């Protein structure tokens, strides 16, 4: 199905042609935008008049005289110092919606004419450690960004850079070697919760022994050397921790209704073989230098409190490698092996300085350039209702699974409260409770600009009122209820009909879906898509109050036309919510 030209683009073309006819030598950008004074407003005449040393209102009047009205533009008037207020025809709106409706898969949204390859690094848990609320944002923002980019036609490679390497594993490996059956499953499958419980129990026992027994501590430290040297038995025990952790990871991501594929998990260990060469390349090129035995990269604008330069340490003085070596090796892999044009990192804003230094180092080395760019999609902190970092009453970090379970429980109570009226079965109540609860958590995150902190308030998240996912899900379900009650009436476009104000407002907003998705994907800004969807649901509510769809007083063609309008609205809500990773129940 071919993409559908938006009404804004059609109007823009008409105005550009009129500007070119008026000022052939001028750049014909009308600077069109949506307006509360008309359907669209063009502000470009003022800049053109300044360049041409002409009176703005007189120039605007000349441009209007050259506009070809008809199928798209109903009327156009000069306003203020030289703005153009444009109203489109009802026929143009209806025909536009009909074309979008005919494209069930993409709703007329075009793909990017110049797609590239983006490697996106997100959802980065640590082996043998519980996932907490801090891991939520990377996973949710990353997943939505992947979905938006893929929808626009970008080739996306997922990477989950899990923490699966380092000195902390010496203690764990040595303990498991001396207690070899601690992670045995006795030929039975274990749940994610059981896997985490096993790891937590083993970690506490290993830590207790490490702190109390100097001989064990010495053996554990030797094990780190064995791990880094690739000693087979040590690697085999390390792999048990990775495998047990993955059982837990996958269970959490399944609870989040998020697909994480094993092939996409390339943790710190995945770049071990590249570390020495990365250091050699940086040192030989002069990008990195030796300082007090360590391999460092210095920056003029990065200094400590004492005014001395703070370097990026690529290799420590004892020969060990830090995070920088791994991150730089990952860049080499993603640029030269995967052939990425964009590297995107969904990482906590508190790591911004580290990534600024890593990216600059890669640019100096020639691994990043005008053709290959790296960007950190930095995100803020999850706060409690008190505006402080979200923790338990005891001051401990909140476990992600506990938070998700509570969200589902709260949402299920909300769904159950209305279940009898809708006629939901117990199975539907539980299923919808999951969709609403997880959707509420995701939407609260995604409706906030990523770089901002946000307050985690479950009571507000599962509310049917306000800017919540439940409000959007309920809007979708309301349309499904209308379609079920429609009987033999079917959605059919009738371009000859005059549209009510609420119909026009809803139709014009639907027309903006493709442009909104493109903008949100290009800027890695899911919150812009979330804002669009909330406005769409709000327009639907106004329409629902002012324009009855199935009223017996309506002519059949009015019913058919309005059914198409609400059905397209529902399809747009469903598609938009899916791009955010949120499901839309048919009945709610």
């Amino acid at each position: 199905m071919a993409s559908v030209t938006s009404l804004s683009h059609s109007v823009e073309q008409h105005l550009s042609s009129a500007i070119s006819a008026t000022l052939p030598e001028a750049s014909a950008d009308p600077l069109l935008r949506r307006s509360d004074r008309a359907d669209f407003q063009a502000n470009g005449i003022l800049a053109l008049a300044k360049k041409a040393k002409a009176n703005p209102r007189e120039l605007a009047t000349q441009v209007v005289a050259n506009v070809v009205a008809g199928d798209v533009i109903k009327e156009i008037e000069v306003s203020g110092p030289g703005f153009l207020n444009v109203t489109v025809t009802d026929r143009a709106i209806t025909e536009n919606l009909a074309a979008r409706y005919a494209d069930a898969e993409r709703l007329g949204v075009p793909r990017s004419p110049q797609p590239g390859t983006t490697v996106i690094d997100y959802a980065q848990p640590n082996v043998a450690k519980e996932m907490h609320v801090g891991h939520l944002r990377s996973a949710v923002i990353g997943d939505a960004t992947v979905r938006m980019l893929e929808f626009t036609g970008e080739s996306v490679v997922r990477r989950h850079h899990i923490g699966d390497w380092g000195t902390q594993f010496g203690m764990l490996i040595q303990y498991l070697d001396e207690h070899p059956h601690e992670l045995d499953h006795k030929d039975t499958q274990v749940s994610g919760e059981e896997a985490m419980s096993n790891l937590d129990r083993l970690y506490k026992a290993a830590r207790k022994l490490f702190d109390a027994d100097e001989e064990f501590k010495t053996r554990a430290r030797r094990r780190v050397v064995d791990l880094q040297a690739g000693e087979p038995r040590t690697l085999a025990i390390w792999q048990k921790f990775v495998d047990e952790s993955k059982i837990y990871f996958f269970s959490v991501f399944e609870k989040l209704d998020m697909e994480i594929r094993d092939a996409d998990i390339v943790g710190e260990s995945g770049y071990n073989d590249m570390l020495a060469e990365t250091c050699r390349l940086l040192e030989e090129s002069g990008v990195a230098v030796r300082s007090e035995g360590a391999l460092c990269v210095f920056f003029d604008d990065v200094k400590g409190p004492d005014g001395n330069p703070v370097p990026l340490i690529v290799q420590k003085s004892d020969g060990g490698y830090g995070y920088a070596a791994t991150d730089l090796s990952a860049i080499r892999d993603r640029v030269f092996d995967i052939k990425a044009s964009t590297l995107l990192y969904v990482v906590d804003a508190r790591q911004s300085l580290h990534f600024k230094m890593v990216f600059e180092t890669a640019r100096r080395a020639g691994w990043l350039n005008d053709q290959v760019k790296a960007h950190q999609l930095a995100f803020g902190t999850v706060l409690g209702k008190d505006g402080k970092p979200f923790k338990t009453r005891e001051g401990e970090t909140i476990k992600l699974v506990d938070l998700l379970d509570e969200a589902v429980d709260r949402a299920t109570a909300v769904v159950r409260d209305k279940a009898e009226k809708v006629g939901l079965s117990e199975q539907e109540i539980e299923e919808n409770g999951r969709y609403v609860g997880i959707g509420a958590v995701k939407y609260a995150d995604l409706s906030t600009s990523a770089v901002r902190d946000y307050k985690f308030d479950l009571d507000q998240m599962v509310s049917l009122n306000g800017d919540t996912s439940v409000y959007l899900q309920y809007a979708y379900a309301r349309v499904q209820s209308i379609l079920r009650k429609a009987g033999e009436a079917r959605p059919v476009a009738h371009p000859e009909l005059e549209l009510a104000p609420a119909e026009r407002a809803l139709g014009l907003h639907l027309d903006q879906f493709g442009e909104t998705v493109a903008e949100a994907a290009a800027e890695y800004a899911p919150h812009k898509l979330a804002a669009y969807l909330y406005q769409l649901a709000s327009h639907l509510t106004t329409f629902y109050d002012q324009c009855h769809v199935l009223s017996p007083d309506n002519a059949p063609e009015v019913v058919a036309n309005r059914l198409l309008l609400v059905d397209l609205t529902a399809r747009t809500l469903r598609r938009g919510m899916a791009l955010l990773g949120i499901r839309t129940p048919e009945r709610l």
Side-chain angles (χ1 to χ4, degrees), residues 16 19 50 59 78 87 108 128 155 203 234 260 287 341 403 427 443 462 499-500 502 559:
S16 294
I19 291 172
K50 186 175 182 180
L59 180 59
V78 178
T87 302
S155 175
Y203 179 86
T234 301
I260 301 291
V287 172
S341 50
L403 182 148
Q427 181 180 347
Y443 186 83
V462 298
L499 299 178
V559 172

Side-chain angles (χ1 to χ4, degrees), residues 246-264:
K246 284 182 178 180
I247 295 172
Y248 164 69
F249 295 159
F250 287 131
S251 72
V252 176
F253 290 125
E254 183 179 10
K255 195 181 290 279
L256 269 170
D257 198 16
M258 191 178 297
E259 181 189 26
I260 301 291
R261 300 177 300 216
D262 191 62
D264 300 331

Side-chain angles (χ1 to χ4, degrees), residues 4-8 10-11 14 39-40 69-75 86-100 493-499 503-504 507-508 511 561 564 568:
V4 177
T5 301
S6 68
L7 289 170
S8 59
S10 294
V11 171
H14 278 73
D39 295 337
F40 299 98
D71 291 341
V72 176
I73 295 178
K74 179 180 180 181
E75 58 185 30
V86 182
T87 302
V88 298
T89 66
D90 290 345
R91 172 176 288 276
I93 295 174
T94 301
E95 288 180 345
N96 174 279
L97 299 181
R100 296 186 181 283
H494 285 274
E496 73 280 2
L497 291 177
E498 183 178 339
L499 299 178
E503 290 178 290
R504 289 180 56 85
L508 287 167
D511 177 60
N561 207 54
L564 183 140
L568 180 59

Side-chain angles (χ1 to χ4, degrees), residues 438-449:
I438 299 303
V441 171
K442 289 183 176 182
Y443 186 83
D445 192 318
L446 296 171
S447 59
T448 304
S449 175

Side-chain angles (χ1 to χ4, degrees), residues 242-300:
V242 175
D243 292 342
E244 194 81 5
S245 297
K246 284 182 178 180
I247 295 172
Y248 164 69
F249 295 159
F250 287 131
S251 72
V252 176
F253 290 125
E254 183 179 10
K255 195 181 290 279
L256 269 170
D257 198 16
M258 191 178 297
E259 181 189 26
I260 301 291
R261 300 177 300 216
D262 191 62
D264 300 331
I265 298 176
V266 184
E268 295 170 17
S269 63
Y271 305 101
N272 283 343
D273 294 342
M274 301 177 65
L275 301 181
E277 185 180 14
T278 294
C279 291
R280 179 182 63 79
L281 291 170
L282 291 173
E283 189 169 13
E284 288 180 355
S285 65
V287 172
V289 296
R290 292 286 170 181
S291 177
E292 299 180 14
L295 185 64
C296 304
V297 182
F298 289 92
F299 308 87
D300 292 337

Side-chain angles (χ1 to χ4, degrees), residues 503-571:
E503 290 178 290
R504 289 180 56 85
L506 182 55
L508 287 167
H509 194 71
L510 285 167
D511 177 60
Q512 292 179 276
F513 179 60
E515 293 168 351
T516 301
V517 171
E519 181 182 351
E523 298 179 10
Y524 314 127
H527 70 281
K528 292 194 172 184
L529 176 57
Y532 168 87
L533 294 172
Y534 173 63
Q535 292 165 358
L536 179 61
S538 299
H539 280 301
L540 177 65
T541 299
T542 302
F543 165 84
Y544 188 81
D545 291 341
Q546 298 180 8
C547 303
H548 296 165
V549 178
L550 301 177
S551 170
D553 296 333
N554 289 342
E557 57 270 24
V558 172
V559 172
N561 207 54
R562 289 182 176 176
L563 282 174
L564 183 140
L565 183 57
V566 296
D567 196 4
L568 180 59
T569 301
R571 292 183 185 189

